[in-house]
Amino acid sequence: MYTQALNSSEGEDRNIEDAERSQQFQARIDADERIEPNDWMPAAYRKTLTRQISQHAHSEIVGMLPEGNWITRAPSLRRKAALLAKVQDECGHGLYLYAAAETLGTSREELVDAMLAGKAKYSSIFNYPTLTWADIGTIGWLVDGAAIMNQIPLCRCSYGPYARAMIRVCKEESFHQRQGFEIMVTLSRGTREQKEMAQDALNRWWWPVLMMFGPPDQASQHSDTSTKWKIKRFSNDELRQKFVDATVPQAEFLGLTIPDPGMKQNAEGNWEYSAIDWDEFKQVLAGNGPCNRDRLAARRKAHDDGAWVREAALAYAGKRRQRSALQAAE
């Protein structure tokens, strides 16, 4: 009985201590202080960040696939070089983000294994095919444009390593967006067939891009806590509206038509869009999108094919450590 009472008392003390720490933690968040890896943080904050940052990293890596599909078929050497550089940038973004996620205590190997096993998500947008060269322009214009809208506020995220990684990511994504828009300008000012190709790509990508921002606020599972902890600064619907308002004038400049006959501008100047098909979004997240299986199969193959590189790197690192130990002993 004495032992039970002692354990109960210790448990209550820990709960009180954790409650006090949580209050101090929230006070730091409210004061816009940055949280660093060695600082105390609630377990739920760590879990939320690990999920978000790792999903972001997975999205950057999987996002290389639909564009990499067009490297050998780019219409000119200039376009090929630009696309190669962009795909390389996306790989770098994934590496920055995996490094940021590792500071929360989960190894990169664990994060990647979860994605390859289908247990971790990546952005739904990368489960759609790139059928024509215009898709590459549309991805740069719309997908990277939506990413920038989402990611610029992350530069002020409460978690330091994530916020700092996003500064460089956003600068490079901004360049990618301009690159995509320039492709769309060229196509929309080109032949009738080229403009039709550009319009077809816009028709196919518009709604999936709007889904990129996540489910509507009332259906989002994580928005409230993420906003409270200042991981997110704007809600899904707020970011989606900002993106639509910024993109409609760009489509008008291109001479292309947003594939939403019901879209209209309200008295406040915001563009109201029609209802989004959230059933399609759920199906893609559940693994039933046009390219879900192909994307994971490609990532698994690349991971398996690269096993010898990882093994060689580990063996080399082991030999270096052994050599250093021998030299220290001498």
Side-chain angles (χ1 to χ4, degrees):
M1 292 293 292
Y2 173 77
T3 302
Q4 289 177 346
L6 184 62
N7 289 339
S8 176
S9 177
E10 290 176 348
E12 289 176 4
D13 289 344
R14 279 197 296 272
N15 289 338
I16 292 171
E17 183 181 351
D18 285 347
E20 290 175 349
R21 281 181 159 183
S22 293
Q23 290 177 354
Q24 293 168 0
F25 175 83
Q26 188 61 50
R28 292 187 62 192
I29 297 289
D30 294 341
D32 276 331
E33 291 185 30
R34 281 276 167 81
I35 306 302
E36 298 297 341
N38 291 331
D39 294 340
W40 184 89
M41 63 188 75
Y45 179 82
R46 186 184 301 274
K47 182 178 179 181
T48 298
L49 274 168
T50 301
R51 175 189 57 79
Q52 179 170 329
I53 300 173
S54 63
Q55 287 184 8
H56 193 164
H58 300 330
S59 300
E60 297 285 356
I61 298 300
V62 176
M64 298 162 60
L65 297 173
E67 294 179 303
N69 184 42
W70 276 88
I71 289 174
T72 59
R73 296 181 288 166
S76 69
L77 183 59
R78 171 176 171 266
R79 297 294 190 194
K80 187 189 296 288
L83 186 56
L84 273 167
K86 183 185 179 187
V87 171
Q88 185 180 37
D89 285 347
E90 307 296 358
C91 180
H93 298 171
L95 297 181
Y96 306 151
L97 292 165
Y98 281 131
E102 284 183 305
T103 66
L104 292 159
T106 304
S107 71
R108 188 172 309 192
E109 289 75 19
E110 291 176 276
L111 298 173
V112 171
D113 287 346
M115 190 265 287
L116 295 176
K119 296 177 181 177
K121 304 293 185 185
Y122 55 86
S123 179
S124 60
I125 195 68
F126 298 119
N127 289 310
Y128 291 86
T130 44
L131 304 180
T132 69
W133 174 250
D135 289 35
I136 302 304
T138 305
I139 287 175
W141 171 36
L142 296 184
V143 176
D144 292 329
I148 293 165
M149 198 68 71
N150 219 342
Q151 292 170 7
I152 285 177
L154 291 174
C155 296
R156 296 186 291 127
C157 168
S158 60
Y159 188 59
Y162 193 20
R164 289 188 288 272
M166 292 313 303
I167 293 172
R168 177 166 180 175
V169 170
C170 286
K171 288 179 179 178
E172 293 178 350
E173 292 289 8
S174 179
F175 182 79
H176 299 163
Q177 196 269 348
R178 292 196 298 273
Q179 178 182 322
F181 190 73
E182 192 267 336
I183 291 174
M184 298 302 285
V185 169
T186 301
L187 292 173
S188 64
R189 301 291 188 270
T191 64
R192 179 176 60 81
E193 290 81 4
Q194 287 174 323
K195 185 170 183 178
E196 288 175 354
M197 185 192 302
Q199 182 65 59
D200 175 66
L202 173 58
N203 294 345
R204 286 183 288 105
W205 286 92
W206 176 252
W207 294 107
V209 167
L210 293 193
M211 296 175 198
M212 265 182 76
F213 293 95
D217 294 344
Q218 64 269 24
S220 179
Q221 298 178 14
H222 308 288
S223 283
D224 288 345
T225 51
S226 292
T227 302
K228 175 186 173 183
W229 286 325
K230 296 188 179 180
I231 296 171
K232 290 180 66 172
R233 298 278 178 161
F234 300 96
S235 72
N236 296 347
D237 287 337
E238 287 174 326
L239 290 169
R240 191 168 12 248
Q241 188 62 60
K242 283 165 66 82
F243 171 77
V244 171
D245 290 341
T247 305
V248 170
Q250 295 170 1
E252 291 176 349
F253 175 82
L254 292 171
L256 301 178
T257 303
I258 299 289
D260 182 1
M263 179 176 279
K264 61 182 183 296
Q265 197 169 23
N266 62 27
E268 288 76 36
N270 301 125
W271 286 94
E272 297 178 357
Y273 48 89
S274 301
I276 296 171
D277 183 0
W278 291 112
D279 287 336
E280 177 183 339
F281 178 72
K282 291 173 184 176
Q283 283 296 312
V284 175
L285 284 187
N288 301 317
C291 297
N292 287 67
R293 292 171 181 81
D294 291 342
R295 299 293 184 243
L296 274 181
R299 286 306 308 142
R300 288 175 184 137
K301 182 178 185 302
H303 189 74
D304 292 343
D305 290 349
W308 70 272
V309 179
R310 296 191 297 276
E311 291 166 5
L314 285 172
Y316 178 71
K319 286 184 178 179
R320 287 198 65 178
R321 284 195 296 269
Q322 190 178 43
R323 191 180 305 120
S324 297
L326 288 172
Q327 290 172 347
E330 293 174 354

